[in-house]
């Protein structure tokens, strides 16, 4: 058997590698963006929520597939709770106050603090079902909040979902640059375009004079990674307590900040329509 290039559409080998799955017959998803990070704690879910909200405010119909099964936090940020419903046609996603469609493991639990203690293959299977069994309807942009790392779930997303592009989230520490490279290298292995990097918690603005304070150091190391791979830095998000308060209070959609506007513009202009059925 020849070496796998992870492109199942061009493969002539008869192996058991998964291929891109079809969505529910009532779903028409035009563009899919996966938000990934090489490590946890960098604010990937918050970035997913901000990108989704920014795209929604531009008039697009948006959806979030929360693939972070054991660490789901997206529903809380959007102020969504309770169980989703389903029938013979499929599972129906919840809707945020602004109309974003959302599916998450937390919306399947009796209590959102109940732990999900599953092994990797079962978790990966649920992610695949979120793509195939949910009645998404017409969606302009779907953002997938992936768990950190390069394990089972990100691999399932990249191989089962027709992902149009990836946004990598990082913080400015030099140590993180090594982890960023892992995420970018995985995307390149899977032949999925990296749209760019979002540097979260990049700085804090002094509340008195507005001076920029680089708490974790400058983004020099991250910039070097971006230059090495020829990808842009889409946005630098400061540590802003307004974001924390909005996320904790389920009010992320009403937050009036513009930190990811440039990222949203680049995603909007850089992704062709490749409708998934």
């Amino acid at each position: 058997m020849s070496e796998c290039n992870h492109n199942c559409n061009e493969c002539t080998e008869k192996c058991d590698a998964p291929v891109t799955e079809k969505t529910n017959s009532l779903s028409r998803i035009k563009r899919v963006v996966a938000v990934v990070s090489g490590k946890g704690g960098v604010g990937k879910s918050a970035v997913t929520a901000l990108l989704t909200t920014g795209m929604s405010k531009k008039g697009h119909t948006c959806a979030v597939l929360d693939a972070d099964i054991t660490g789901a936090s997206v529903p809380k940020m959007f102020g969504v709770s309770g169980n989703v419903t389903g029938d013979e046609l499929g599972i129906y996603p919840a809707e945020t106050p602004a109309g974003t469609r959302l599916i998450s493991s937390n919306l399947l639990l009796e209590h959102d603090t109940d732990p999900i203690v599953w092994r990797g293959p079962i978790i990966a299977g649920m992610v695949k079902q979120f793509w195939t069994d949910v009645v998404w309807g017409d969606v302009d942009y779907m953002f997938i909040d992936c768990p950190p790392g390069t394990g089972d779930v990100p691999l399932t997303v990249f191989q089962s979902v027709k992902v149009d592009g990836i946004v990598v989230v990082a913080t400015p520490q030099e140590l993180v640059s090594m982890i960023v490279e892992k995420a970018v290298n995985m995307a390149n292995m899977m032949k999925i375009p990296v749209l760019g990097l979002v540097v979260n918690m990049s700085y804090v603005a002094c509340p008195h004079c507005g001076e920029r304070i680089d708490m974790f150091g400058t983004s020099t190391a991250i910039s070097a990674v971006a230059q090495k791979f020829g990808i842009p830095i889409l946005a630098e998000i400061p540590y802003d307590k307004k974001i924390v308060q909005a996320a904790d209070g389920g009010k992320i959609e009403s937050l009036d900040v513009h930190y990811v506007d440039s990222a949203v513009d680049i995603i909007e202009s850089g992704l062709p329509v490749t409708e998934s059925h």
Side-chain angles (χ1 to χ4, degrees):
M1 181 179 289
S2 60
E3 183 179 356
C4 180
N5 67 359
H6 304 284
N7 189 338
C8 296
N9 293 326
E10 299 177 359
C11 185
T12 59
E13 298 289 344
K14 296 185 181 300
C15 66
D16 58 354
V19 297
T20 301
E21 301 284 346
K22 292 185 179 296
T23 59
N24 181 285
S25 62
L26 299 177
S27 300
R28 286 162 295 278
I29 302 168
K30 294 180 180 177
R31 307 168 187 87
V32 179
V33 177
V35 182
V36 307
S37 64
K39 66 184 296 295
V42 298
K44 171 186 48 57
S45 297
V47 170
T48 300
L50 290 172
L51 291 174
T52 303
T53 299
M55 196 65 79
S56 178
K57 288 179 178 179
K58 298 193 75 171
H60 297 290
T61 301
C62 294
V64 178
L65 190 161
D66 187 357
D68 195 352
I69 302 299
T70 61
S73 59
V74 172
K76 180 175 175 61
M77 294 183 187
F78 283 96
V80 175
S81 60
N83 296 123
V84 295
T85 60
D87 57 23
E88 68 278 2
L89 298 177
I91 304 167
Y92 295 92
E95 283 202 11
T96 70
T100 290
R101 296 157 199 180
L102 170 63
I103 194 69
S104 171
S105 60
N106 265 18
L107 301 177
L108 305 175
L109 301 174
E110 184 176 356
H111 307 101
D112 59 12
T113 55
D114 291 344
I116 293 180
V117 188
W118 294 346
R119 295 191 183 275
I122 301 176
I123 294 173
M126 173 173 275
V127 171
K128 190 181 294 187
Q129 283 189 287
F130 282 171
W131 173 252
T132 60
D133 294 3
V134 173
V135 181
W136 291 106
D138 293 317
V139 172
D140 295 323
Y141 289 91
M142 171 181 282
F143 291 89
I144 301 181
D145 182 20
C146 291
T150 56
D152 282 347
V153 173
L155 185 62
T156 295
V157 170
F158 296 161
Q159 290 187 324
S160 301
V161 177
K162 193 178 186 306
V163 177
D164 297 295
I166 291 171
V167 172
V168 180
V169 182
T171 50
Q173 299 100 313
E174 185 171 350
L175 174 64
V176 174
S177 66
M178 176 185 65
I179 308 299
V180 170
E181 285 205 45
K182 289 180 183 290
V184 173
N185 283 329
M186 181 179 186
N188 290 337
M189 286 174 60
M190 306 304 295
K191 312 296 184 185
I192 301 174
V194 179
L195 302 175
L197 307 178
V198 172
V199 186
N200 192 31
M201 294 180 280
S202 182
Y203 63 93
V204 63
C206 174
H208 304 294
C209 67
E211 179 184 358
R212 173 175 171 143
I213 302 170
D214 295 312
M215 299 181 298
F216 301 124
T218 64
S219 299
T220 304
I222 303 298
S223 298
V225 174
Q227 185 175 8
K228 175 180 178 179
F229 289 97
I231 54 180
I233 292 180
L234 301 175
E236 288 190 78
I237 304 173
Y239 182 86
D240 186 339
K241 67 179 182 181
K242 294 195 298 292
I243 298 177
V244 178
Q245 291 169 346
D248 287 347
K251 303 291 185 181
I252 201 75
E253 289 177 312
S254 61
L255 184 63
D256 186 21
V257 296
H258 303 279
Y259 302 128
V260 300
D261 285 1
S262 60
V264 170
D265 290 341
I266 291 171
I267 293 171
E268 183 184 41
S269 62
L271 283 183
V273 176
T274 56
E275 189 168 305
S276 298
H277 292 288

